[in-house]
Amino acid sequence: MANEVVLLDFWPSMFGMRTRIALREKGVEFEYREEDLRNKSPLLIQMNPIHKKIPVLIHNGKPVVESSIQVQYIDEVWSHKNPILPSDPYHRAQARFWADFIDKKMYEAQRKVWATKGEEQETGKKDFIEILKTLESELGDKPYFGGDDFGFVDIALIGFYTWFPAYEKFGNFSIEQECPKLIAWVKKCLQRDSVAKSLPDPEKVTEFVSMLRSKFVPE
């Protein structure tokens, strides 16, 4: 069977970063296609007609949407190498819980840090730091969220790191000061080729966020 893998993505997307990392963890060759979200390609609309959002993983012409689902799909299809989800059903359920926590809590809170101001931003910042501290507490003294092995929760969270300098710049706080163990975990993740090759330069992301903020947040 042919293994044609295409990823429709947008470079600063912390969700697309998950899929890039998972594919590289498994050593899967893929074609990366950058999408212009202001002018979505016919292929993106055809492959994700419900949400019309990136990332879209296309495997042998068939689309898989939503980054967490894509990572699980990649783990099942290319199961011979570097398991992403734990084999134990309870540990697997826990990993899914934390990835879901990140999806439900992180995105909205982080958006308030860079895309609002005044009281709304302060509330957002407080919520965001609380979420990071909850995640840091779950990490504890383990090298990775799942223990000794890099896995599902690490992949779910690490892409947000590229936005950290933007949160710090516009929220006026230090994540390392608030969550030192989380930053130590980031540095460990960055030593992996799959992660280093999949994440954009945080400075470039900060420039992108500055441009977005100037559009959405009136001075």
Side-chain angles (χ1 to χ4, degrees):
M1 184 176 97
N3 248 335
E4 188 194 24
V5 180
V6 177
L7 181 63
L8 309 182
D9 202 356
F10 181 48
W11 69 269
S13 166
M14 62 276 283
F15 300 110
M17 291 173 210
R18 296 170 173 177
T19 312
R20 293 172 229 164
I21 292 167
L23 288 167
R24 289 187 171 114
E25 277 290 315
K26 298 288 186 175
V28 177
E29 293 285 323
F30 64 98
E31 182 191 339
Y32 178 91
R33 291 194 197 171
E34 183 74 13
E35 282 286 332
D36 176 356
L37 299 188
R38 289 163 304 183
N39 184 22
K40 295 173 185 178
S41 72
L43 184 62
L44 174 61
I45 291 160
Q46 178 197 340
M47 290 293 171
N48 191 0
I50 307 297
H51 296 304
K52 302 178 180 65
K53 286 181 180 174
I54 53 92
V56 179
L57 177 70
I58 306 168
H59 183 209
N60 295 330
K62 293 177 180 173
V64 181
V65 299
E66 299 297 321
S67 61
S68 286
I69 294 169
Q70 289 165 5
V71 173
Q72 292 177 67
Y73 176 84
I74 289 162
D75 198 34
E76 287 170 19
V77 173
W78 291 279
S79 55
H80 64 288
K81 182 183 178 185
N82 289 356
I84 291 170
L85 277 148
S87 55
D88 177 82
Y90 177 75
H91 292 146
R92 199 158 60 238
Q94 289 298 102
R96 284 182 173 136
F97 168 82
W98 284 107
D100 187 58
F101 174 86
I102 291 161
D103 280 352
K104 286 188 173 138
K105 299 279 188 181
M106 248 332 241
Y107 186 74
E108 202 44 52
Q110 64 84 32
R111 197 178 181 285
K112 284 183 182 168
V113 175
W114 66 263
T116 64
K117 60 181 185 177
E119 204 176 311
E120 191 180 1
Q121 186 187 38
E122 282 306 308
T123 306
K125 186 166 81 171
K126 194 177 158 199
D127 290 347
F128 182 65
I129 291 168
E130 201 174 300
I131 290 161
L132 290 181
K133 284 184 183 292
T134 302
L135 288 164
E136 186 179 58
S137 169
E138 170 57 21
L139 176 67
D141 293 319
K142 305 188 295 288
Y144 299 110
F145 279 90
D148 291 330
D149 299 314
F150 179 79
F152 192 54
V153 184
D154 306 295
I155 291 173
L157 183 60
I158 191 62
F160 284 91
Y161 148 74
T162 60
W163 288 61
F164 280 9
Y167 306 150
E168 292 178 327
K169 179 180 177 177
F170 299 113
N172 196 26
F173 67 107
S174 162
I175 292 173
E176 188 158 22
Q177 219 172 326
E178 299 284 352
C179 302
K181 283 183 183 175
L182 208 57
I183 296 301
W185 162 82
V186 163
K187 288 172 182 169
K188 191 166 180 61
C189 290
L190 288 172
Q191 290 169 7
R192 299 183 76 83
D193 268 2
S194 63
V195 176
K197 287 177 179 171
S198 301
L199 301 190
D201 177 356
E203 276 186 34
K204 200 177 161 199
V205 175
T206 303
E207 286 169 19
F208 170 73
V209 177
S210 297
M211 180 269 292
L212 285 183
R213 187 173 167 85
S214 66
K215 279 186 180 176
F216 296 124
V217 186
E219 286 305 324

